[in-house]
């Protein structure tokens, strides 16, 4: 049964009914992650990339108090143009947005929730939220991690930015039973750089192998997500040392200005963007395109595993009860 708060775009609905692969995409990366108009342009290129790789894109957001799975180019441009004027919406914020009738950009956590309601099991993003540096004092741990613990979905990312404590982020995921799969790598990537010095749980060399792990996990009744870490292409990567200065300056300024809560991640991202100029924006665009292509390949492989004549959405929906 489709949730009555949710609007699924006709093209996405048809694809799901036919068992055709679909890839969910988030919208905080559009409104809070990049400047206009590059944000909207990138979001449209990402959708195109998903299509080229054989799947249907479903960009997720909240518009006028409705959950949306699949946006029009106009709606994407609107979210990009509004930028940080649009509310950043995570799990906590969802019910309020629905009753106030506002617009919202969805984080990894809330995108997972909405994709799940729509019956989409694969989602591409840039970087996930995680355990912040200093979390032992601040207790700042992104709701993205809790969502990965409970919501059945493969989330394809380029790792996480080292504004976070990557070691604690991986510990948290282990505790909550979230497999971290490195795509053609043994190392957990650090967003702009391919290396973090930390290992992934398992290396996977092809999308079909990842699809089999998804299927086995959910057939076993092990609810929750899988994190697929896809390193930024070599040619676009920025060495860790080059980023470290910008990251420590951003962290120091956040500390001085006492920036906390949901404002912290966007503040750090914008600061680093400003300090490293066009270089980090360019890297950001390339890695999300790269993730979209891999997510589409995984969605295709997962759809191929499902029995013929059994629509993907129905089966996936049933499994999560
Ligand atoms: N990290 C990035 N880019 C992003 C985000 C995080 O490198 O765009 C966004 C994502 O939408 C993510 C959210 O879900 O920030 C996490 O915010 P918080 O740490 O407040 O949970
Ligand atoms: Mn936080």
């Amino acid at each position: 049964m489709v949730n009555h708060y949710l609007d699924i775009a006709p093209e996405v609905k048809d694809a799901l009914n036919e068992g055709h692969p679909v890839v969910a995409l988030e919208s905080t990366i559009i409104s809070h992650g990049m400047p206009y108009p590059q944000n909207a342009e990138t979001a449209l290129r990402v959708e195109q990339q998903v299509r080229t790789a054989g799947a249907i894109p479903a960009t997720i957001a909240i518009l006028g108090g409705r959950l949306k799975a699949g946006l029009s180019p106009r709606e994407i441009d609107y979210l990009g143009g509004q930028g940080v004027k649009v509310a950043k919406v995570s799990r906590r914020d969802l019910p309020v947005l629905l009753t106030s009738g506002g617009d919202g950009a969805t984080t990894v956590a809330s995108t997972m929730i909405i994709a799940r309601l729509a019956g989409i099991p694969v989602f591409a993003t840039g970087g996930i939220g995680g355990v912040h540096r200093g979390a032992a004092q601040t207790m700042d741990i992104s709701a993205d991690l809790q969502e990965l613990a409970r919501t059945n979905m493969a989330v394809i990312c380029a790792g996480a930015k080292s504004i976070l404590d990557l070691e604690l982020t991986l510990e948290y995921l282990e505790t909550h039973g979230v497999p971290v799969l490195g795509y053609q790598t043994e190392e957990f990537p650090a967003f702009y750089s391919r290396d973090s010095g930390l290992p992934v749980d398992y290396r996977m060399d092809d999308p079909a192998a990842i699809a089999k792990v998804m299927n086995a996990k959910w057939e076993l009744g092990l609810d929750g997500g899988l994190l697929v870490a896809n390193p930024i292409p070599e040619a676009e990567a920025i060495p860790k040392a080059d980023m470290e200065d910008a990251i420590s300056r951003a962290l120091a300024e956040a500390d001085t200005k006492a920036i906390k809560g949901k404002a912290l991640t966007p503040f750090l991202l914008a600061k680093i963007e400003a300090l490293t100029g066009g270089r980090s924006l360019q890297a950001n665009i390339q890695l999300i395109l790269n993730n979209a292509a891999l997510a589409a390949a995984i969605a295709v492989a997962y759809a191929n595993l499902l029995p013929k004549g059994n629509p993907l959405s129905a089966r996936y929906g049933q499994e999560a009860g």
Side-chain angles (χ1 to χ4, degrees):
M1 196 196 64
V2 171
N3 193 283
H4 70 275
Y5 293 109
L6 174 67
D7 296 330
I8 305 180
E11 185 192 22
V12 174
K13 194 179 280 177
D14 288 348
L16 291 168
N17 284 335
E18 287 159 20
H20 193 79
V22 176
V23 172
L25 301 162
E26 65 149 309
S27 46
T28 294
I29 193 172
I30 305 175
S31 60
H32 290 64
M34 291 180 193
Y36 186 76
Q38 287 95 333
N39 54 6
E41 281 163 17
T42 302
L44 294 172
R45 283 179 69 193
V46 166
E47 288 208 340
Q48 190 50 50
Q49 182 80 291
V50 168
R51 289 183 198 282
T52 305
I56 299 294
T59 301
I60 304 235
I62 299 159
L63 292 173
R66 300 287 302 166
L67 307 179
K68 299 282 179 187
L71 299 185
S72 67
R74 245 185 103 120
E75 290 169 329
I76 287 176
D77 191 70
Y78 168 76
L79 278 179
Q82 289 296 102
V84 297
K85 280 184 272 169
V86 177
K88 172 184 161 189
V89 176
S90 196
R91 170 177 268 265
R92 167 191 70 178
D93 312 289
L94 270 177
V96 181
L97 257 285
L98 293 190
T99 51
S100 70
D103 300 329
T106 51
T107 62
V108 168
S110 56
T111 302
M112 288 175 75
I113 293 168
I114 298 168
R116 181 70 198 74
L117 288 173
I120 305 168
V122 179
F123 161 30
T125 183
I128 58 159
V131 180
H132 281 264
R133 296 193 195 183
Q137 288 302 318
T138 62
M139 290 185 68
D140 191 345
I141 300 173
S142 173
D144 292 355
L145 299 185
Q146 271 298 317
E147 210 55 54
L148 279 161
R150 75 172 107 198
T151 299
N152 296 11
M153 190 148 304
V155 178
I156 291 77
C157 69
K161 286 199 177 87
S162 36
I163 54 172
L164 302 171
D165 188 322
L166 298 185
E167 197 163 1
L168 291 190
T169 299
L170 292 171
E171 287 291 349
Y172 192 97
L173 291 169
E174 180 189 352
T175 300
H176 290 276
V178 179
V180 178
L181 310 177
Y183 183 65
Q184 300 184 347
T185 183
E186 277 99 35
E187 201 164 332
F188 187 67
F191 198 84
Y192 295 117
S193 7
R194 293 172 62 89
D195 55 321
S196 66
L198 300 165
V200 292
D201 303 328
Y202 300 95
R203 174 183 172 135
M204 296 278 149
D205 285 333
D206 80 289
I210 295 169
K212 283 186 194 156
V213 175
M214 292 161 61
N215 197 43
K217 185 177 198 292
W218 298 328
E219 279 191 340
L220 264 178
L222 299 177
D223 281 337
L226 305 93
L227 191 64
V228 179
N230 185 29
I232 184 171
E234 192 96 58
E236 313 293 340
I238 307 177
K240 220 167 32 174
D242 292 9
M243 291 307 304
E244 204 43 52
D245 180 53
I247 288 171
S248 36
R249 283 168 66 182
L251 286 167
E253 190 170 332
D255 194 48
T256 310
K257 293 188 168 159
I259 291 167
K260 296 191 191 54
K262 73 191 270 189
L264 180 61
T265 297
F267 176 86
L268 294 173
L269 299 183
K271 207 75 229 172
I272 290 165
E273 210 71 70
L275 288 168
T276 57
R279 196 176 178 198
S280 64
L281 179 59
Q282 192 50 31
N284 208 340
I285 293 169
Q286 294 306 318
L287 67 83
I288 171 79
L289 289 169
N290 190 44
N291 293 345
L294 176 59
I298 293 169
V300 168
Y302 185 68
N304 285 339
L305 283 182
L306 300 182
K308 297 280 173 276
N310 186 352
L312 178 60
S313 53
R315 169 166 169 191
Y316 176 68
Q318 268 164 18
E319 276 171 4

